[in-house]
Amino acid sequence: MENQRSLSSQADVEHLQKMLAESGYSRKAIRLFIEKPHMGTIPDADHVSEMTGTCGDTMSVCLKVENGVIRDLKYQVLGCPGAVASAMAAVELIKGKTIEEARALNDGDIFHLLEEIPAQKHHCIQLAVKTLKKALDEYAPKSD
């Protein structure tokens, strides 16, 4: 029974990968969506911010900062594959960077890392960046 579940699960993943690829997502974006390597919360986070996009997708970001460096960062995402992949890409780009370096993150940086997502999902990239910048702005007064 367990082997059947594994095979079915693998078949489901392959089907999902195919659908996403046909919709215009790159392999990198698909991997980030399926694996969700930076999804979750940080129990002892230094700051948490949330934002809802115009499409209704909602992101929450947890920051753990040490000596001005982002030591850990996780997103919770209630949204589409584009939103999840964009949030995961944002973490890959700024984890281990200073707050100032993280503030420089822009939509193009995430798009470059993702390689390709459907044009109608580019707003997801903007939401990931805006949510992060909101968290950084709200965190800044606390760090003084």
Side-chain angles (χ1 to χ4, degrees), residues 42-134:
I42 302 171
D44 60 342
D46 294 316
H47 187 75
V48 179
S49 286
E50 185 175 295
M51 187 172 251
T52 300
T54 56
C55 63
D57 289 353
T58 300
M59 291 186 184
S60 173
V61 63
C62 300
L63 295 173
K64 188 69 179 169
V65 181
E66 210 174 277
N67 299 321
V69 174
I70 299 169
R71 293 292 175 208
D72 201 4
L73 171 72
K74 293 197 182 290
Y75 277 84
Q76 284 284 84
V77 181
L78 180 58
C80 67
V84 172
S86 296
M88 300 301 99
V91 175
E92 291 199 357
L93 289 165
I94 65 158
K95 190 172 178 179
K97 306 274 187 190
T98 66
I99 299 256
E100 293 72 33
E101 290 169 328
R103 283 185 199 286
L105 182 73
N106 64 49
D107 301 354
D109 297 329
I110 292 178
F111 186 78
H112 181 73
L113 180 73
L114 292 177
E115 298 166 357
E116 190 62 49
I117 66 170
Q120 67 269 30
K121 298 298 180 179
H122 288 191
H123 69 277
C124 297
I125 293 172
Q126 295 169 342
L127 180 59
V129 171
K130 286 178 182 176
T131 305
L132 172 68
K133 290 193 176 180
K134 178 183 179 199

